[in-house]
Amino acid sequence: MTEHILSICYLIASVTFIVGLKMLSHPSSARKGNLLAAAGMTIAIFGTIFLYHDNGEALGNRGFIFAALAIGSVIGWLAAKKVQMTAMPEMVSLFNGMGGACAMLISLIEFNHVTKNLSADVVLSDAIPVGHYIAIVAGLIIGSISFAGSVVAYLKLSGKIKDFSFKGQHIFNIVILIITLGWTVFTFYSDAQDGSVFVYVMLILSLVYGVFFVMPIGGADMPVVISLLNSFTGVAAATGGFLYDNKVMLTGGILVGAAGTLLTILMCKAMNRSL
């Protein structure tokens, strides 16, 4: 019975996300759309806390969960109330980076979860389905890039750091990305003990790429970068939906990823710039 109620909660949340996103397209309805989507997310969160069951067992550690919710809500509320309108882009960038960090941590936890009981001589490709592994590393890589890039964008918009570039940086970035993707394949065919170490190398490479991806971009193009990183965070969140078969994570992530991508393309066209 609780599973059916939880599915209804997820359906309501998904609908509010879609309707709320539509309402954000016009200034007169944007505030209500934001509140509507937030209400849907609240339903999904509390539905998961109280109705989710795994093999007949309810969700545990509710004290820690509510403590984290309280701390995060207070910090977010105070930050949003105090920020100046001129500083809104940097706050959005920072908050978006927190979403990427969340997806990154989910992937790390899930990877450790699926490998903790494997013996050292077991090859990961024999123990983890390839689809499951792709979902884990996609969330890790995309979330890490979004987190690192968003933090750099925040620091640049707030004037704490300046643009930085060097000759051949595009080639350097491509090489780092290729090495990162190659490392994911190498890790998949390594044994469980090495894979638990290699995944952190993958994390470091992704963070480095995220930093150098944003560092050379000038201030005028920063809104486009933030929009692109926002779409990255949405895709990373969607991978969490695949990992846990969570429909609302999947729906919300896809909506953010698609909307962010379309917004990025439209902004590039409006500025007559190449994406």
Side-chain angles (χ1 to χ4, degrees):
M1 183 65 179
T2 55
E3 288 186 16
H4 298 303
I5 298 175
L6 182 58
S7 296
I8 293 172
C9 290
Y10 287 166
L11 179 61
I12 293 172
S14 298
V15 171
T16 60
F17 292 165
I18 295 169
V19 175
L21 185 62
K22 174 63 177 176
M23 294 173 70
L24 288 173
S25 63
H26 196 280
S28 62
S29 59
R31 186 175 182 274
K32 291 182 179 178
N34 195 28
L35 292 174
L36 180 65
M41 179 59 76
T42 303
I43 292 172
I45 291 172
F46 284 95
T48 302
I49 293 173
F50 291 109
L51 300 175
Y52 176 80
H53 285 79
D54 185 16
N55 295 323
E57 294 185 7
L59 196 67
N61 296 320
R62 287 179 178 170
F64 291 107
I65 292 171
F66 281 112
L69 283 172
I71 294 170
S73 298
V74 170
I75 293 174
W77 178 273
L78 293 176
K81 291 291 285 185
K82 290 186 176 182
V83 67
Q84 300 294 323
M85 285 302 297
T86 53
M88 193 62 70
E90 59 198 63
M91 189 197 74
V92 170
S93 179
L94 184 61
F95 282 4
N96 177 65
M98 296 303 102
C102 183
M104 172 188 74
L105 292 174
I106 286 174
S107 293
L108 282 177
I109 291 169
E110 181 64 13
F111 187 88
N112 291 329
H113 175 71
V114 299
T115 59
K116 67 178 181 180
N117 295 323
L118 298 177
S119 57
D121 58 344
V122 174
V123 178
L124 290 176
S125 58
D126 295 332
I128 307 176
V130 63
H132 194 176
Y133 179 76
I134 290 174
I136 291 174
V137 297
L140 177 65
I141 293 172
I142 299 172
S144 300
I145 293 172
S146 176
F147 168 63
S150 296
V151 171
V152 172
Y154 162 75
L155 293 173
K156 291 177 71 173
L157 286 170
S158 59
K160 293 180 173 62
I161 61 174
K162 297 181 179 180
D163 299 344
F164 172 78
S165 61
F166 53 87
K167 188 176 181 180
Q169 182 162 356
H170 291 302
I171 297 175
F172 174 82
N173 289 353
I174 292 172
V175 170
I176 291 292
L177 182 60
I178 292 173
I179 291 173
T180 304
L181 296 177
W183 193 262
T184 64
V185 178
F186 177 72
T187 301
F188 188 55
Y189 291 102
S190 64
D191 59 56
Q193 188 174 18
D194 289 339
S196 297
V197 178
F198 291 162
V199 72
Y200 290 98
V201 177
M202 194 188 308
L203 169 64
I204 293 171
L205 288 170
S206 302
L207 291 172
V208 170
Y209 178 79
V211 171
F212 284 96
F213 176 72
V214 178
M215 282 297 289
I217 299 174
D221 295 326
M222 198 54 63
V224 181
V225 176
I226 293 173
S227 177
L228 183 61
L229 292 173
N230 184 58
S231 69
F232 286 179
T233 298
V235 174
T239 62
F242 281 113
L243 285 177
Y244 298 119
D245 192 25
N246 189 302
K247 308 300 187 298
V248 76
M249 285 182 70
L250 187 59
T251 304
I254 290 172
L255 285 172
V256 173
T261 302
L262 290 172
L263 178 60
T264 303
I265 294 172
L266 291 173
M267 291 174 73
C268 285
K269 285 185 178 180
M271 298 170 67
N272 197 26
R273 302 295 293 270
S274 169
L275 178 59

